[in-house]
Amino acid sequence: MLTSTLFLGLLAVAAGRALPGVQRSRSQDTFENPILYEDFPDNDISLGPDGAYYFSASNFHYSPGAPILRSYDLVDWEFVGHSIPRLEFGDGYDLPPSGQRAYRGGTWASTLRYRKSNGLWYWIGCTNFWNTWIYTAPAPEGPWTRRVWLGNEVCYYDLGLLIDDDDTMYVVYTVDGGRQVNVTQLSADGLSPVRSQGVLWPEQVGVDSVEGNRLYKINGTYYILNDRPGSTAYVWKSSSPWGPYEGKPLADNVPGPVPGGGAPHQGSLIPTPSGDWYFMSFTWAFPSGRLPVLAPIEWQADGFPTLITVNGTWGKTYPRPRGLPAKPLRFPWTRTYTFSNKTSTSLPPTLEWNHNPDISSFSITNNALVLRTATVTNDLYSARNTLTHRVHGEYPKATLKLDVRGMKAGDRAGLAAFRDQSSYVAVEKTSDGGYEIVGLFGTVLDEWGSGATLDLGREVERVKVSVGKKGEVWFRLSMDARPNGTRQAKFEWSLNGKKFTALKETYELYTGWPFFLGYRFGIFNYATKALGGEVKVLEFKTE
Ligand SMILES: *[C@@H]1O[C@H](CO)[C@@H](O)[C@H](O)[C@H]1NC(C)=O
Ligand SMILES: *[C@@H]1O[C@H](CO)[C@@H](O)[C@H](O)[C@H]1NC(C)=O
Ligand SMILES: *[C@@H]1O[C@H](CO)[C@@H](O)[C@H](O)[C@H]1NC(C)=O
Ligand SMILES: *[C@@H]1O[C@H](CO)[C@@H](O)[C@H](O)[C@H]1NC(C)=O
Ligand SMILES: *[C@@H]1O[C@H](CO)[C@@H](O)[C@H](O)[C@H]1NC(C)=O
């Protein structure tokens, strides 16, 4: 359905394309999907006390956990921080030798809300298959505190939190493999359950299971939003949080806005001060990941919303939400990272570690991020302190500048296309004191269950090089990350930062979904013989 405002917006887009002079008004009047071409799945979006929107996402085994984004206009988002400073649940997320591998564990489909009565933010999630943890903080930026573990096998699976007008807290979640949805009322401090009840059954709308649950109170009516994985978003309404609920599809197999991507289904319902409503969902778009997509919705006379589509599909563009100020963001999504002495020991939230970092093995000194080897291994997936950055856009590119003079024989440091199937270009220090560029393609993790390494990869290239006095080596990785593109990743290296040499082979990025997360740039340094070596990361640029 095309409302008149939407239609005017689309005319503005058309005019913007035809007349270059109108480009500026085009970007002011409309937005494009995906809202952010980066992997931020399982959004739970709500309004903060400062009038900004906050977006909680999943990042599984990456640390810190549970990313938080902020936006003033629902279109431009910035990375604020994480709800989980360090992954400290289950059997640990420290990687060998001191810890375990927990790929695909960690944080997924959680909820984040501000509670006015005590000024606290609550993050609740079933982590690590299958235990529910609650964290709280006075502000989204933190400090976040781990408050309570609700007990073994208490899993509020794919949950949503509602803080009712009378301050009562409820969570909604799926039980019995998705065949039932429960509501649980929490205690006054929000830290323990007091009453639980099954409230709706997917078979009511003719499907076997749902997930991605949210609970809202809108004009006195309780609404549950959830979805059948991969296809359909449902909205359910009732006059009581305990039901009975009546359900209807909100978006049923609506083709997504990214060519080759999936039908958006899971997400959040979002009001604006001008009385308009939006559905933020995501489209499955590997190799990149699950990309947030936004669309307006319209409430009908029967009390259910419908999605505003464009010719039966999720619009590539829509008019910008009305009445929301565009505020300048602190950082663009692509930028050059340097590691100035003044930034102390903390890294920007856009950089996340693969599992928890060994904090004794990295530091920011002399305007560099120093990565000391933390693991002796020949398996990239067991190496501690791999620092990652989500790939951005259809054609992501990253350039890494290292000082390799502190490496020890057998150490490997470089830049990876990092996921459950990975490849990299690296520099290796050899036993005769020289250096070699190494290309390693096709490491494979078991994407189902065990997370064991199935393939250590094959060496595709090895070139002896003479590194200059300053020990500088550059790596570059460029991808076509469009799901229907070539999906080729090109690896290059350089000894002067100007002339880059490509590896002879390119790598085809993997598009399977069971790992749940998309490709990241991975900056790594691991030992294959003995600890004691280090590299300095002088600069990391993402484009
Ligand atoms: C869900 O509700 C049922 C009652 O309908 C209850 O027996 C069950 O314990 C609840 N599940 C959880 C995880 O609270
Ligand atoms: C809520 O009620 C107000 C006032 O009656 C009305 O303008 C608004 O459209 C309603 N919103 C929804 C989502 O039904
Ligand atoms: C919708 O489809 C019609 C018929 O194919 C086409 O003429 C029109 O341009 C499309 N509109 C949009 C907004 O894509
Ligand atoms: C950074 O700190 C180191 C000591 O850790 C010091 O030697 C160096 O001069 C400092 N550099 C700058 C630019 O402040
Ligand atoms: C990807 O989709 C776009 C838009 O539909 C199309 O122009 C392009 O040809 C497609 N590419 C491939 C490789 O299918």
Side-chain angles (χ1 to χ4, degrees), residues 20-41:
V22 191
Q23 284 293 346
R24 209 163 139 253
S25 72
R26 176 195 161 201
S27 65
Q28 281 170 358
D29 296 345
T30 63
F31 69 84
E32 289 203 13
N33 278 312
I35 281 291
L36 182 58
Y37 211 113
E38 266 189 45
D39 192 13
F40 287 101

Side-chain angles (χ1 to χ4, degrees), residues 36-38 40 77-79 329-338 350-351 389-399 521 540-543:
L36 182 58
Y37 211 113
E38 266 189 45
F40 287 101
W77 293 84
E78 62 186 356
F79 211 136
L329 303 179
R330 288 176 307 170
F331 300 109
W333 283 95
T334 55
R335 58 173 146 148
T336 300
Y337 296 87
T338 52
T350 41
L351 296 172
H389 188 292
R390 289 167 184 75
V391 300
H392 181 91
E394 296 180 311
Y395 306 99
K397 184 169 158 184
T399 307
F521 297 116
F540 178 59
K541 182 179 182 186
T542 62
E543 293 174 72

Side-chain angles (χ1 to χ4, degrees), residues 33-86:
N33 278 312
I35 281 291
L36 182 58
Y37 211 113
E38 266 189 45
D39 192 13
F40 287 101
D42 303 337
N43 71 74
D44 184 18
I45 296 170
S46 61
L47 208 51
D50 55 352
Y53 293 95
Y54 289 87
F55 179 133
S56 180
S58 311
N59 66 345
F60 295 75
H61 50 272
Y62 289 99
S63 181
I68 305 172
L69 311 183
R70 171 169 51 216
S71 174
Y72 296 92
D73 61 5
L74 290 177
V75 173
D76 297 322
W77 293 84
E78 62 186 356
F79 211 136
V80 172
H82 294 84
S83 297
I84 301 188
R86 195 176 168 86

Side-chain angles (χ1 to χ4, degrees), residues 65 217 262 462 522:
K217 191 181 196 181
R462 182 174 278 273

Side-chain angles (χ1 to χ4, degrees), residues 153-156 173 175 180-184 196-199 201:
E153 305 276 311
V154 178
C155 176
Y156 296 156
Y173 53 94
V175 297
Q180 175 173 309
V181 170
N182 269 25
V183 165
T184 289
S196 298
Q197 192 176 305
V199 298
W201 292 265

